[in-house]
């Protein structure tokens, strides 16, 4: 069992699902959110009949936001996009031992996901 | 021992070997006495050791021994200087005080409190390089001040105020001049007599001494006495009551003796460290140096990468220990008041980290630091979709 700091580091340095220049963004459904501290998250999902077959992200922010985004993205592949609305974000909190004064990072992530779902629903 | 290379000397420094030895010796039974218990030789020995230590502090700044008051550190010294001057005056006589927005919070917050209590307090902005322009100071001194307070070296960006010039301007107008020398003492020469300084806050742990001890220089001729912050004892000429920490004081004196002996070589070494850092980071796209590299203390570098977030930059640099800025603000999400006062924008402030070098910094450590910084920058830029 990895400690929360190891999980945080691993997720922070994991770039498997980071959007790269050669990715065709046209085929993704995108979502975005930002905050007053100049942190932001962009989500890109490819779905087939509402099933998420690929997910990518771009992120700027503290290590917690980066790790939350990375962990979240890794966990949603093959899920139904409509299940994201009920995603248990608190499970990520305990996984990386998110400090109380950094809980707002979770809202940032949640808002980007909601924005993505909205875009998907609008087609 | 942590597996990281230390680059946070502006926050605190490791205790020098010689200082540890002197503290160790002071903790032996010979100096067990209370320096105020002069009825027996234990107390007398402790008192004598403390007076010798006081002499070391005084010598470094060209003061009289009686002008040095022991405190718990520069924060207390700043508080004692500012409250001490204001509270010594009879009630109902508000003083007129000025300082700058670039000061440490242990100056700004007492001044805000004094303002709430009815004193007239004004702050001036530093210039874009982080130091105080003589013209701005002259303007505010002309308003008829009682006290002007500023730091010598800024703790976040290393900018150096011309305290000799400010001191002469204050003395000419009979204004009490307080200098927060926490970051400069033992690193740059300071002469309280030549620089017309009336009050000066001193620290030990910023120059390889122990934490929890500092001093306040009180010019006997121009200030003389201050109202103490605490009551309950007559120590330190009744201006700072409490049993003196003999071993800490001896440690501070050892650090000051070392600083006096090494100051020139330390400064040369720090300048080489700064120059190497600048040379090795010159190819990092978008990297900004905050402040004027020619008019700063070379041991402190403030750098901004406005497209990145400082906290994640620090996290990504797992081989080195650097900081976002002032140690007193590192837990806060609030943007640095110093950088803000210099006119930096929110993105520039959010992307700022402070690197500080010291006596123990090796050139090969700086190579590790710059490699680590470049790797971190590349990683964070990849995360946000390239440059």
């Amino acid at each position: 069992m990895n400690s929360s700091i190891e999980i945080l580091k691993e997720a922070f340095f994991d770039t498997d699902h980071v959007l790269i220049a050669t990715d065709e963004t046209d085929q993704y459904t995108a979502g975005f959110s930002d905050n007053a501290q100049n942190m932001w998250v962009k989500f890109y999902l490819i779905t087939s009949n509402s099933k998420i077959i690929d997910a990518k992200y771009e992120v700027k922010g503290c290590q917690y936001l980066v790790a939350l985004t990375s962990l979240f993205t890794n966990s949603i592949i093959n899920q139904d996009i409509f299940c994201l609305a009920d995603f248990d974000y608190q499970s990520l909190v305990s996984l990386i031992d998110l400090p109380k004064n950094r809980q707002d990072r979770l809202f940032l992530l949640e808002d980007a996901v909601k924005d993505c779902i909205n875009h998907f629903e609008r087609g | 021992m942590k597996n990281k290379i230390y680059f946070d000397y502006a926050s605190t420094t490791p205790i020098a070997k010689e200082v540890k030895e002197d503290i160790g010796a002071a903790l032996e039974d010979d100096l067990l006495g209370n320096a105020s218990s002069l009825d027996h030789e234990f107390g007398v020995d402790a008192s004598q050791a403390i007076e010798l230590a006081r002499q070391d502090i005084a010598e470094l700044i060209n003061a009289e021994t009686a002008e040095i008051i022991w405190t718990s550190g520069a924060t207390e010294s700043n508080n004692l200087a500012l409250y001490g001057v204001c509270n010594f005056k009879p009630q109902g006589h508000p003083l007129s005080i000025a300082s700058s927005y670039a000061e440490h919070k242990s100056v700004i917050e007492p001044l805000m409190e004094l303002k709430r209590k009815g004193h007239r307090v004004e702050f001036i902005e530093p210039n874009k390089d982080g130091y105080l322009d003589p013209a701005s100071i002259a303007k505010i001194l002309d308003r008829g001040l009682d006290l002007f307070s500023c730091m010598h070296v800024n703790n976040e960006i290393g900018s150096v105020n011309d305290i000799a010039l400010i001191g002469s301007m204050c003395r000419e107008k009979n204004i009490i001049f307080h200098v927060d020398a926490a970051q400069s003492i033992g690193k740059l020469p300071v002469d309280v007599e030549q620089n017309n300084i009336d009050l000066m806050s001193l620290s030990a742990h910023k120059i390889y001494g122990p934490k929890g001890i500092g001093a306040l220089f009180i010019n006997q001729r121009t200030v003389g006495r201050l109202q103490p912050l605490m009551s309950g004892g007559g120590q330190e000429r009744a201006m700072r009551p409490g049993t003196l920490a003999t071993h800490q004081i001896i440690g501070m004196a050892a650090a000051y003796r070392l600083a006096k002996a090494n100051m020139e070589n330390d400064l040369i070494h720090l300048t080489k460290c700064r120059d190497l850092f600048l040379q090795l980071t010159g190819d990092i796209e978008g990297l900004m140096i905050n402040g004027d590299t020619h008019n700063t203390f070379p041991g402190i570098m403030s750098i901004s990468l406005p497209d990145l977030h400082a906290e994640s930059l620090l996290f990504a640099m797992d081989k080195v220990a650097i900081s976002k800025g002032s140690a007193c603000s590192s837990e806060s999400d609030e943007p640095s008041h110093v950088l803000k006062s210099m006119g930096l924008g929110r993105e520039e402030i959010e992307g700022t980290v402070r690197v500080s070098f010291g006596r123990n910094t090796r050139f090969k450590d700086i190579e590790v630091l710059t490699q680590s910084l470049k790797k971190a920058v590349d990683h964070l830029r990849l995360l946000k979709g390239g440059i």
Side-chain angles (χ1 to χ4, degrees):
Chain A
M1 184 77 179
N2 285 341
S3 69
S4 54
I5 184 72
E6 284 168 340
I7 295 169
L8 178 72
K9 274 188 181 172
E10 205 175 303
F12 177 81
F13 286 109
D14 179 11
T15 55
D16 281 356
H17 289 279
V18 174
L19 189 84
I20 54 171
T22 51
D23 288 328
E24 295 286 341
T25 50
D26 299 353
Q27 51 181 324
Y28 289 90
T29 304
F32 173 79
S33 75
D34 62 357
N35 71 8
Q37 279 107 41
N38 292 311
M39 297 191 204
W40 52 257
V41 183
K42 280 181 194 170
F43 258 118
Y44 303 89
L45 301 179
I46 294 186
T47 50
S48 171
N49 297 326
S50 84
K51 184 184 170 184
I52 300 166
I53 55 170
D54 195 13
K56 300 274 183 181
Y57 65 88
E58 292 172 314
V59 61
K60 181 197 170 190
C62 72
Q63 65 271 28
Y64 296 105
L65 178 65
V66 173
L68 287 168
T69 309
S70 164
L71 288 167
F72 175 80
T73 311
N74 273 307
S75 68
I76 60 168
I77 311 283
N78 292 328
Q79 284 198 27
D80 191 286
I81 192 166
F82 293 111
C83 293
L84 296 187
D86 301 320
F87 186 85
D88 178 15
Y89 290 96
Q90 286 304 317
S91 63
L92 301 177
V93 172
S94 51
L95 209 54
I96 60 167
D97 200 10
L98 184 69
K100 277 206 163 60
N101 62 350
R102 298 288 188 270
Q103 301 273 336
D104 60 320
R105 308 325 186 228
L106 212 55
F107 306 143
L108 200 57
L109 173 66
E110 205 175 342
D111 286 348
V113 175
K114 278 181 187 161
D115 192 41
C116 207
I117 297 170
N118 285 341
H119 281 137
F120 178 80
E121 285 174 339
R122 275 186 252 136
Chain B
M1 188 71 186
K2 303 246 184 321
N3 194 23
K4 284 193 175 194
I5 305 171
Y6 191 73
F7 287 102
D8 200 12
Y9 287 83
S11 162
T12 193
T13 54
I15 301 182
K17 187 171 106 332
E18 296 87 336
V19 174
K20 281 182 194 167
E21 284 168 3
D22 281 12
I23 292 175
L27 287 169
E28 296 298 324
D29 286 351
D30 281 357
L31 286 178
L32 70 87
N34 182 329
S36 300
S37 298
L38 300 176
D39 299 330
H40 49 70
E41 60 190 357
F42 292 103
V44 171
D45 286 351
S47 172
Q48 283 173 350
I50 284 170
E51 291 317 305
L52 283 174
R54 206 186 296 271
Q55 211 171 311
D56 287 323
I57 311 306
E59 274 176 18
L60 185 69
I61 60 171
N62 190 26
E64 298 293 329
T65 50
E67 295 177 313
I68 304 299
I69 296 291
W70 302 113
T71 66
S72 63
T75 291
E76 185 190 331
S77 300
N78 284 338
N79 274 264
L80 178 57
L82 300 169
Y83 285 119
V85 167
C86 294
N87 295 343
F88 193 70
K89 300 281 175 192
Q91 276 194 347
H93 289 264
L95 297 188
S96 191
I97 310 160
S99 187
S100 92
Y101 287 114
E103 300 308 307
H104 191 266
K105 285 187 174 173
S106 60
V107 165
I108 291 181
E109 288 182 11
L111 288 180
M112 295 306 287
E113 178 63 21
L114 287 165
K115 192 175 182 175
R116 280 192 287 273
K117 287 184 173 166
H119 296 278
R120 287 184 294 272
V121 178
E122 285 181 90
F123 293 96
I124 55 173
E125 282 178 353
N127 64 15
K128 65 175 179 42
D129 292 322
Y131 59 89
L132 302 178
D133 271 327
S136 320
I137 298 169
K139 210 169 148 188
I140 204 153
L141 297 188
D142 279 344
R143 292 183 204 166
L145 292 184
D146 296 295
L147 170 68
F148 184 76
S149 173
C150 74
M151 51 182 25
H152 188 192
V153 167
N154 185 276
N155 57 316
E156 289 193 35
I157 60 162
S159 57
V160 182
N161 280 321
D162 188 347
I163 54 168
L165 178 65
I166 303 169
S168 67
M169 291 161 82
C170 287
R171 187 59 56 86
E172 201 179 292
K173 294 184 182 297
N174 210 19
I175 296 165
I176 296 172
F177 180 35
H178 167 243
V179 176
D180 173 5
Q183 287 291 347
S184 66
I185 194 68
K187 299 170 187 169
L188 296 176
V190 181
D191 184 318
V192 290
E193 186 65 32
Q194 273 184 15
N195 296 339
N196 295 303
I197 295 169
D198 301 306
L199 295 160
M200 185 161 76
S201 303
L202 308 170
S203 168
H205 75 101
K206 307 280 189 192
I207 48 159
Y208 312 93
K211 294 167 185 63
I213 184 74
L216 178 66
F217 157 76
I218 304 171
N219 191 317
Q220 276 194 315
R221 282 172 292 119
T222 59
V223 178
R225 285 184 63 198
L226 299 174
Q227 187 69 22
L229 296 173
M230 301 181 289
S231 50
Q235 290 92 345
E236 299 302 277
R237 294 193 285 131
M239 287 188 275
R240 206 278 185 172
T243 302
L244 293 172
T246 314
H247 61 293
Q248 302 283 80
I249 288 169
I250 285 173
M252 179 168 173
Y256 274 49
R257 284 195 304 276
L258 266 179
K260 195 177 178 189
N262 293 332
M263 200 184 299
E264 207 177 318
N265 285 339
D266 281 350
L267 203 54
I268 292 169
H269 175 66
L270 295 177
T271 305
K272 284 181 182 169
C273 288
R274 191 259 319 264
D275 292 349
L276 180 62
F277 178 80
L278 288 174
Q279 181 200 324
L280 295 177
T281 53
D283 59 348
I284 299 179
E285 200 171 323
L287 184 140
M288 287 167 41
I289 307 293
N290 297 319
D292 167 11
T293 50
H294 300 292
N295 192 28
T296 51
F297 169 64
I300 300 176
M301 299 282 310
S302 170
I303 58 169
S304 289
L305 287 145
D307 63 324
L308 303 179
H309 198 269
E311 202 180 331
S312 53
L313 192 65
L314 300 189
F315 189 79
M317 296 170 71
D318 52 358
K319 290 189 178 120
V320 296
I322 60 175
S323 67
K324 271 198 294 180
S326 165
C328 305
S329 313
S330 67
E331 284 181 17
S332 156
D333 248 1
E334 280 299 301
S336 151
H337 67 281
V338 174
L339 300 175
K340 222 164 141 181
S341 69
M342 287 166 62
L344 268 72
R346 183 95 195 198
E347 289 208 330
E348 291 164 331
I349 297 173
E350 300 285 0
T352 297
V353 294
R354 179 184 67 180
V355 177
S356 47
F357 310 115
R359 204 177 277 162
N360 306 344
T361 305
R362 299 169 302 179
F363 298 137
K364 66 177 183 185
D365 295 338
I366 295 173
E367 286 171 16
V368 174
L369 167 68
T370 53
Q371 282 162 8
S372 185
L373 176 62
K374 286 176 185 181
K375 216 172 129 190
V377 168
D378 287 346
H379 177 65
L380 296 180
R381 284 184 176 159
L382 174 75
L383 291 176
K384 60 189 279 291
I387 297 164

